[in-house]
Amino acid sequence: MEDTSKLTLNGERSSLTGHEQNEMIGHVSSPSGGGRREIVSRSFSGMKSLCSDDVDVEGGKVEEDRDKNVRSNWAVKIHNQALLSGLAYCISSCSMILVNKFVLSSYDFNAGISLMLYQNLVSVVIVSFLNFFGIISTEPLTWRLIQVWLPVNVIFVGMLITSIFSLKYINVAMVTVLKNVTNVITALGEMYLFKKHHGSKVWAALFLMIVSAISGGITDLSFHAVGYTWQIINCFLTASYSLTLRRVMDTAKQVTRSGNLNEFSMVLLNNVLSLPLGVLLIFVFNEVDYLSKTMLLRMPVFWLVVTLSGFLGLAISFTSMWFLHQTGATTYSLVGSLNKIPLSVAGILLFKVPTSFENFLSILFGLLAGVFFARAKLMAKS
């Protein structure tokens, strides 16, 4: 009986230790640690079951029931985390686009670069504040790291600016459909640069995206050539950013002090480097003259709205990392595609966009093609 009670006590301690460590590991903020967290969690689950096997027959039933309850509670907790992070990501990404559209269209704000610059400044302040109080950790910005990261940051700034310029002239629904062209360019870039081969279903989905973008543009009642030009440029820059980022990240990790570059460091690096480049572009595009004359900068409500857009921009970074960590790349991609459907509907209703039945079908067709593309990529990975 003495030996049995010792084994039972050891089993309880092991179970408790494993549960506590799982909770600690679950708070890791980097999505790259998702696989490591899963392996460690499985290891601790194995330890718990091993300890339960050592218990005698009479006490085995109690141990087994307790382990089932612990596993059930842990599964519910993980499920809730995934659902909560997914909702946070969807809400923040939809809100960011709608708020930007509101600032550019409803307020008729004609300084897109200044808007981007202010949003990035808000992000820098918040990330620096969180890093100062030890809530997150970032790599120190060395001159060598800045030199390595600067080329990809130029593309990043161009991507943000062209997105804002296009959003001023094009309705939200058509922007989401035209963004699908980015997937086509990225897939071609992966094929030629990284020798990556895609399946027939992926190419079929990409073809449907092109068809929906062309048909959507033809049937768009509020068609604006300038806006479509900016959006096409944005698609090329976004694809270039994702393709270039893969190579630059490997080089950047080698020049950091820790040999690693987490997502918070990349957010800080991108936003800090965008500030001097943004100031330069403000003078090049002569936005200083407009800012000195506009009455919007004297309205406290306007400052509240643009500050909110800055918070939402950073929220997308944090919630996307959280959601990616709780689920996986395939689920993240699929939810991102599905998220465009309510966003498009909200954009049409909130801003009273004139649309025809043919244009609505083209938009719906493009959104479903995006979902089909994400699902095809998921099946290919499986």
Side-chain angles (χ1 to χ4, degrees):
M1 289 180 64
E2 226 176 24
D3 293 338
T4 304
S5 62
K6 284 180 180 178
L7 286 169
T8 306
L9 184 60
N10 288 336
E12 289 175 357
R13 286 176 178 171
S14 298
S15 177
L16 181 61
T17 305
H19 182 58
E20 288 176 346
Q21 293 192 25
N22 275 334
E23 283 188 341
M24 292 173 66
I25 295 164
H27 287 86
V28 178
S29 59
S30 173
S32 60
R36 191 181 302 111
R37 180 192 65 185
E38 185 180 355
I39 294 169
V40 177
S41 300
R42 287 177 181 173
S43 300
F44 284 123
S45 298
M47 286 170 62
K48 288 193 287 185
S49 63
L50 189 61
C51 292
S52 299
D53 291 340
D54 290 338
V55 182
D56 62 341
V57 178
E58 291 181 1
K61 178 67 176 173
V62 178
E63 290 291 330
E64 185 180 349
D65 290 341
R66 184 168 66 237
D67 282 349
K68 282 182 179 179
N69 290 332
V70 170
R71 283 195 294 269
S72 176
N73 293 335
W74 182 242
V76 170
K77 185 176 180 181
I78 290 294
H79 179 72
N80 290 339
Q81 286 280 324
L83 180 63
L84 185 62
S85 60
L87 285 173
Y89 166 66
C90 291
I91 291 171
S92 60
S93 60
C94 287
S95 301
M96 175 66 176
I97 295 175
L98 293 174
V99 169
N100 274 348
K101 181 65 177 176
F102 179 74
V103 171
L104 296 167
S105 299
S106 300
Y107 279 109
D108 195 25
F109 189 62
N110 294 320
I113 301 174
S114 301
L115 177 62
M116 181 274 300
L117 182 66
Y118 183 72
Q119 289 172 347
N120 290 1
L121 179 62
V122 171
S123 297
V124 170
V125 171
I126 296 173
V127 173
S128 301
F129 177 84
L130 294 176
N131 182 55
F132 179 78
F133 285 97
I135 300 173
I136 62 172
S137 61
T138 59
E139 287 291 327
L141 302 182
T142 61
W143 177 242
R144 179 62 180 148
L145 181 59
I146 291 173
Q147 284 180 313
V148 172
W149 199 263
L150 191 59
V152 75
N153 183 257
V154 173
I155 301 174
F156 172 76
V157 171
M159 181 180 70
L160 294 182
I161 292 174
T162 52
S163 177
I164 291 175
F165 284 172
S166 66
L167 195 60
K168 180 175 177 58
Y169 299 104
I170 309 176
N171 64 74
V172 174
M174 279 308 304
V175 166
T176 56
V177 171
L178 292 172
K179 280 182 178 294
N180 285 336
V181 178
T182 303
N183 295 325
V184 180
I185 301 170
T186 304
L188 292 172
E190 286 176 337
M191 188 174 66
Y192 286 104
L193 295 176
F194 303 108
K195 308 301 179 183
K196 185 176 181 180
H197 297 285
H198 302 285
S200 57
K201 290 184 178 180
V202 173
W203 287 115
L206 294 173
F207 175 74
L208 293 177
M209 288 177 180
I210 296 174
V211 172
S212 65
I214 295 173
S215 60
I218 293 173
T219 57
D220 188 5
L221 298 179
S222 57
F223 178 85
H224 200 293
V226 175
Y228 272 73
T229 302
W230 281 120
Q231 185 55 50
I232 292 171
I233 296 172
N234 175 258
C235 290
F236 277 97
L237 289 173
T238 305
S240 301
Y241 178 74
S242 62
L243 293 170
T244 308
L245 189 64
R246 298 181 185 184
R247 293 186 173 182
V248 173
M249 279 180 63
D250 294 332
T251 309
K253 288 177 181 178
Q254 297 173 4
V255 299
T256 57
R257 293 180 182 177
S258 66
N260 192 22
L261 191 67
N262 61 27
E263 290 76 9
F264 301 112
S265 299
M266 286 189 284
V267 169
L268 182 62
L269 194 57
N270 264 333
N271 287 284
V272 166
L273 294 182
S274 69
L275 298 181
L277 187 57
V279 172
L280 177 64
L281 291 174
I282 285 175
F283 286 98
V284 171
F285 283 82
N286 197 26
E287 287 190 358
V288 177
D289 185 51
Y290 170 79
L291 293 173
S292 62
K293 295 178 181 178
T294 182
M295 296 296 294
L296 292 173
L297 299 184
R298 297 177 178 85
M299 296 171 57
V301 178
F302 177 77
W303 280 107
L304 181 65
V305 174
V306 294
T307 304
L308 175 63
S309 69
F311 274 94
L312 288 172
L314 186 61
I316 293 174
S317 300
F318 283 104
T319 55
S320 61
M321 284 185 275
W322 182 25
F323 183 44
L324 190 62
H325 176 60
Q326 292 296 330
T327 54
T330 50
T331 306
Y332 174 83
S333 177
L334 187 60
V335 170
S337 299
L338 291 169
N339 191 38
K340 292 179 180 179
I341 297 176
L343 173 62
S344 301
V345 174
I348 292 173
L349 295 177
L350 290 175
F351 298 101
K352 300 177 181 178
V353 178
T355 182
S356 62
F357 180 71
E358 292 82 4
N359 184 247
F360 180 77
L361 285 180
S362 299
I363 293 170
L364 182 61
F365 185 68
L367 296 174
L368 292 177
V371 175
F372 181 57
F373 171 76
R375 188 167 178 78
K377 293 279 284 184
L378 188 150
M379 293 174 65
K381 287 183 178 180
S382 298

